[in-house]
Structure formats: C-alpha cells, structure tokens
Amino acid sequence: MTPQLARSAWGSLETLHVVAFFAPEVQRAYDRFGVPATRAGYFAARSSAFGAADPALVVATFYVFSPDLVARAVPAVWAAGTPEEWATARRDAVGTALHRVLGEPDVAEVLELAREAVAGLGAAGRPLYAAWSGADWPEDPLLQLWHAGLLVREHRGDGHVTALMAAGLDPVEALVTGGLASGSTDFVRTTRGWSDAEWTAGERRCRDRGLVDDGGLTDAGRALRADVEATTDRLAVAGWAHLGADGTQRLVGLVAPLRERLFDSGLLPDWIRSRG
C-alpha cells in the first residue's frame, strides 16, 4: 500500500465528509440552538463524541483554532443542547444535504469497502478518532458512507497534528504555511479565530525561519510542508493497508462520480479538490 494511494482514498471520502462544514442545511440546524458565538456549532458537533468537553480539550485536539474563539463557544454550547443533540443535528442535516445533491445512489459496494478500511484503524494516540470510534453508525447507507469518512478524517487529522508538532509549526504557523500550500489562506484566516496581530506575528515567525517571503512559500517552506504531508500520509496508511490496494483503488473509483457531483453542485470550495 503506497501513501499516495491511501491519500487518494482519504481525499475521496473527505469530499463527502466536509459537506458537514459547508452545507447550508447544517448551519441552519446549528442556528436553531441559538448560540451566537462564531463556529459554535462546529465546535459542539465535532467535539460531541467527548461528551460535554471542556474548552481546553477542544483547544488541544483541534490545534489550529484560537483558544479565544473556542472559549466564546464552549461551554455555552452545552447549555444550549446536549452533545447528543448537537451530533444528531449535524448528522441529520448532512443527510438532507447529501441526498439533495446526490439523490439515492447505490453505495452498497463502496460502503462495504469503507467499513473494511475503518476496521483497520487503531485508536492509540488518536483522541478525536478514539472518541468517534465508539459512536453508533447511522442507519441510512449514504450517511454511513459519510460516517466512514468522518472516522477516516479524524484518524488522519490526529496524525496530522502530530506531524505539525514534529515540524515545529505552532497553530498560526501551520495555518500560514498550510494556507499558502493549498490556496486556502483566505478561508483559514477568516475561520480559525486569530487576531490580525496574532496572524502577523505568525507570518513574522515563518519569515524568520525562512519559510515564507513576499512571494509566498520559499523552497524551504515548500519542503517543510511536503514533509508534513508525507508524514501525515505515512501515519494514515493503516486502514487502507487493512483493506488492501485493490480494494482501496476500487473505493476511489466508486466514490469518483459522487465527488464530481458534489463539486459540480457548487456546494464545496474548489480548493478541496487538491485533497487526495
């Protein structure tokens, strides 16, 4: 199993999973809880597998988000709804969005492959994945495929945090360099909650390290980000190795038309295409 094939498989399922972050149905579901804090629903739903998580736990596991942004949302979200209610709101809204765009596709074969890959994932050193690995699977097959993407995503994300820390990139430095590498700077700068002063200081640290200049990432910056991604890929192979190369390649092929329909719908930003 090559890391490149594993990355392609993750990128395929990731396209379905990130519907939870962009679909208007999901934001409307969060709005009904009446918590005015920015990204309150995101923090509540994604951390709900921990139970009523303390802000410090969310800061530690989400890594690139400003502690101040988290503190404005958590624990206020738990006063507005239980973790189970937030998780259910996200799941049901994602189901509505997926079926709106994709209809009723036959996902039986790809779901079997995805669940086999998930069966090969381990929880050691993966706090968000470990928490979600105990959650019940939805009944709807398309939502089951989304849930498989969630598990793969959180497992990989935990490993990505490890890779960022090993590279010596603090949260803002990770966003500055990662945004330049993926073309998502505007998105991450406006959604992760860091002040202009904090962002500027992070850019300065990256300049001092020779990672960025006026033209964007330097050769050293590109090399460091490539190393971060390569480390993340190596740490994310286990589930796909369990499935096997043939099954993994088959999964990529089966998800491809669903992925294209999601992009064609305009629901997702185009920079997500670079994932996988």
Side-chain angles (χ1 to χ4, degrees), residues 92-185:
D92 291 350
V94 166
T96 299
L98 285 173
H99 283 291
R100 171 172 62 82
V101 175
L102 300 176
E104 300 290 338
D106 181 359
V107 296
E109 182 183 358
V110 69
L111 179 57
E112 182 179 356
L113 295 169
R115 294 193 67 147
E116 185 64 21
V118 168
L121 300 177
R126 314 273 182 160
L128 266 169
Y129 167 75
W132 278 107
S133 67
D136 293 335
W137 286 73
E139 294 183 4
D140 176 72
L142 188 55
L143 264 179
Q144 287 186 41
L145 189 60
W146 171 80
H147 186 73
L150 180 157
L151 295 173
V152 167
R153 203 263 184 156
E154 298 297 11
H155 184 274
R156 181 186 174 87
D158 287 333
H160 187 59
V161 171
T162 298
L164 291 170
M165 295 177 69
L169 291 169
D170 68 30
V172 180
E173 293 165 358
L175 291 172
V176 169
T177 57
L180 289 170
S182 64
S184 60
T185 295

Side-chain angles (χ1 to χ4, degrees), residues 36-64:
T38 302
R39 299 189 70 76
Y42 172 88
F43 294 125
R46 191 175 167 213
S47 69
S48 62
F50 288 131
D54 184 85
L57 178 57
V58 178
V59 170
T61 52
F62 287 33
Y63 196 66
V64 294

Side-chain angles (χ1 to χ4, degrees), residues 205-217:
R205 292 193 297 275
C206 290
R207 286 176 179 271
D208 291 345
R209 293 178 61 180
L211 302 177
V212 303
D213 58 22
D214 291 341
L217 286 175

Side-chain angles (χ1 to χ4, degrees), residues 111 113 120 232 240 242 264:
L111 179 57
L113 295 169
T232 303
W240 307 111
H242 177 79
D264 290 346

